[in-house]
Amino acid sequence: MPETALVIAAHPDDGDFGCAGYTAQLAERGWAVDFLVCTNGAKGTEDRAMTRERLVSLRREEQREACRRMGARDVYFLDHEDGELVYDRVLLEEVVRYIRRVRPHTVLTHDPTDIIIRDSFINHPDHRAVGTAALDAVYPTARDHLNFPEHLAEGLEPHKVREVLLWNSNHPNFDVDISDRVDAKIYALSAHVTQFGKQEDFATFSRERWKSDEGRYVERFRRIELGF
């Protein structure tokens, strides 16, 4: 069986921004990469003619296409309302369910620990809710059969994730050189036409975003290794 990674993101395109370069590398190495998108993407357009229902449908298809472009195996949607996500027992159960279903070695998700990121933007409340739920699901909830025991009847056994990578962190400790996959990352992001289709020089903007001082293209994560 191949190693498996699960990307847990709040909105369509979040995971692509956060880790598409690295997940493309993992897929190239033979890993199975799955995405879990927690909201329906019903917000985030300046098009006054766009209906909510059409936007939801388009963003779902855009995420599927982006995953195809980066070599991901599958993508799942929880369809919580965009902009209204609350961390509660319902969300935790859903995330635990997919961890037990996919059984990933590595989970990649939002860093929920700070509201202000690098003094340059505000961490979206949906991002914070998803990151918190993902961390709590990884440890301790998905490990213990007494948490959501109804999963056992469905054949979903407890699971121990071994590595967590948090993107958009104020405390990165793990850099991944994605220079060989930066074009794949931009190609995946360009599938999100409703978000970036009218943005001129999107590729140039994106390249500058991930370019290090040494001229390499890098994704930075806060890495947590779970040794027990």
Side-chain angles (χ1 to χ4, degrees), residues 7 12 32 40 71 77 89 104-105 111 123 130 139 142 166 171 178 208 214:
V7 179
N40 58 12
F77 301 91
R89 194 73 177 166
H105 173 277
D111 189 333
N123 201 4
V130 169
Y139 182 85
L166 304 175
H171 307 284
I178 62 162
E208 291 305 312
E214 297 79 24

Coordinates of all heavy atoms in Angstrom, one line a residue, residues 7 12 32 40 71 77 89 104-105 111 123 130 139 142 166 171 178 208 214:
V7 N -5.1 16.2 2.9 CA -5.1 17.7 3.0 C -6.5 18.1 3.5 O -7.5 17.8 2.9 CB -4.8 18.3 1.6 CG1 -4.9 19.9 1.7 CG2 -3.4 17.9 1.1
P12 N -12.3 25.6 -1.1 CA -11.6 25.3 -2.4 C -10.5 26.3 -2.6 O -10.7 27.5 -2.3 CB -12.7 25.4 -3.4 CG -14.0 25.2 -2.7 CD -13.8 25.8 -1.3
A32 N -0.5 8.4 -2.2 CA -1.9 8.7 -2.5 C -2.2 9.9 -1.7 O -2.0 10.0 -0.5 CB -2.8 7.5 -2.0
N40 N -18.5 24.9 1.4 CA -19.0 24.8 0.1 C -18.5 25.9 -0.9 O -18.9 25.9 -2.1 CB -20.6 24.9 0.1 CG -21.1 26.1 0.7 OD1 -20.4 27.1 1.0 ND2 -22.4 26.1 1.1
G71 N -2.2 15.8 -9.3 CA -2.0 14.3 -9.2 C -2.6 13.7 -7.9 O -2.3 12.6 -7.5
F77 N -16.0 16.6 0.0 CA -16.6 17.9 0.4 C -17.5 17.7 1.6 O -18.4 16.8 1.5 CB -17.3 18.5 -0.8 CG -16.4 18.7 -2.0 CD1 -16.3 17.8 -3.0 CD2 -15.8 19.9 -2.1 CE1 -15.5 18.0 -4.1 CE2 -15.0 20.1 -3.2 CZ -14.8 19.2 -4.2
R89 N -18.7 19.6 17.8 CA -18.5 18.1 17.8 C -18.9 17.6 16.5 O -18.4 16.5 16.1 CB -19.4 17.6 18.9 CG -19.2 16.1 19.3 CD -17.9 15.9 20.0 NE -17.7 14.5 20.4 CZ -16.6 14.0 20.9 NH1 -15.5 14.8 21.0 NH2 -16.4 12.8 21.2
P104 N -4.3 8.4 6.8 CA -3.1 9.1 6.3 C -1.9 8.9 7.3 O -2.0 8.9 8.5 CB -3.5 10.5 6.2 CG -4.5 10.7 7.3 CD -5.3 9.4 7.3
H105 N -0.7 8.8 6.7 CA 0.5 9.0 7.4 C 0.7 10.5 7.8 O 1.1 10.8 8.9 CB 1.7 8.5 6.6 CG 3.1 8.8 7.2 ND1 3.7 10.0 7.1 CD2 3.9 8.0 8.0 CE1 4.9 10.0 7.7 NE2 5.0 8.8 8.3
D111 N -2.7 26.3 10.0 CA -2.2 26.6 11.4 C -3.3 27.4 12.0 O -3.5 28.6 11.6 CB -0.9 27.2 11.4 CG -0.3 27.3 12.7 OD1 -1.0 27.3 13.7 OD2 1.0 27.4 12.9
N123 N -5.9 35.6 9.6 CA -6.3 34.2 9.4 C -7.8 34.0 9.5 O -8.4 34.3 10.5 CB -5.6 33.4 10.5 CG -5.5 31.9 10.2 OD1 -5.8 31.5 9.1 ND2 -5.0 31.1 11.1
V130 N -11.1 24.9 11.0 CA -10.7 23.7 10.4 C -9.4 23.2 11.0 O -9.2 22.0 11.3 CB -10.6 23.9 8.9 CG1 -9.9 22.7 8.2 CG2 -12.0 24.0 8.3
Y139 N -5.0 14.2 17.2 CA -4.7 13.8 18.6 C -5.6 14.6 19.6 O -5.6 15.8 19.5 CB -3.2 14.1 18.9 CG -2.9 13.7 20.3 CD1 -2.5 12.4 20.6 CD2 -3.0 14.6 21.4 CE1 -2.2 12.0 21.9 CE2 -2.7 14.2 22.7 CZ -2.3 12.9 22.9 OH -2.0 12.4 24.2
A142 N -9.0 10.7 16.9 CA -9.1 9.6 15.9 C -8.4 8.3 16.4 O -8.6 7.3 15.9 CB -8.4 10.1 14.6
L166 N 1.5 22.1 9.0 CA 0.6 23.3 9.0 C 1.2 24.4 8.1 O 2.3 24.8 8.3 CB 0.5 23.8 10.5 CG 0.1 22.8 11.5 CD1 0.2 23.5 12.9 CD2 -1.3 22.3 11.3
H171 N 5.3 30.1 12.7 CA 6.5 29.4 13.3 C 6.9 28.2 12.4 O 6.9 27.1 12.9 CB 6.1 28.9 14.7 CG 5.6 30.0 15.6 ND1 6.5 30.9 16.2 CD2 4.4 30.3 16.0 CE1 5.8 31.8 16.9 NE2 4.5 31.5 16.8
I178 N 10.1 23.5 -3.7 CA 9.1 23.0 -4.8 C 9.5 23.6 -6.1 O 8.7 23.7 -7.0 CB 7.7 23.4 -4.4 CG1 7.6 25.0 -4.3 CG2 7.3 22.8 -3.1 CD1 6.1 25.5 -4.3
E208 N 6.4 35.0 -7.1 CA 7.0 35.9 -6.1 C 6.6 35.5 -4.7 O 7.4 35.7 -3.8 CB 6.6 37.3 -6.4 CG 7.3 37.9 -7.7 CD 8.8 37.7 -7.7 OE1 9.4 38.1 -6.7 OE2 9.3 37.2 -8.7
E214 N 17.0 33.0 -1.6 CA 18.1 32.3 -2.3 C 17.6 32.1 -3.8 O 18.4 31.5 -4.5 CB 18.5 31.0 -1.7 CG 19.1 31.1 -0.3 CD 18.0 31.4 0.8 OE1 16.8 31.0 0.6 OE2 18.4 32.0 1.8

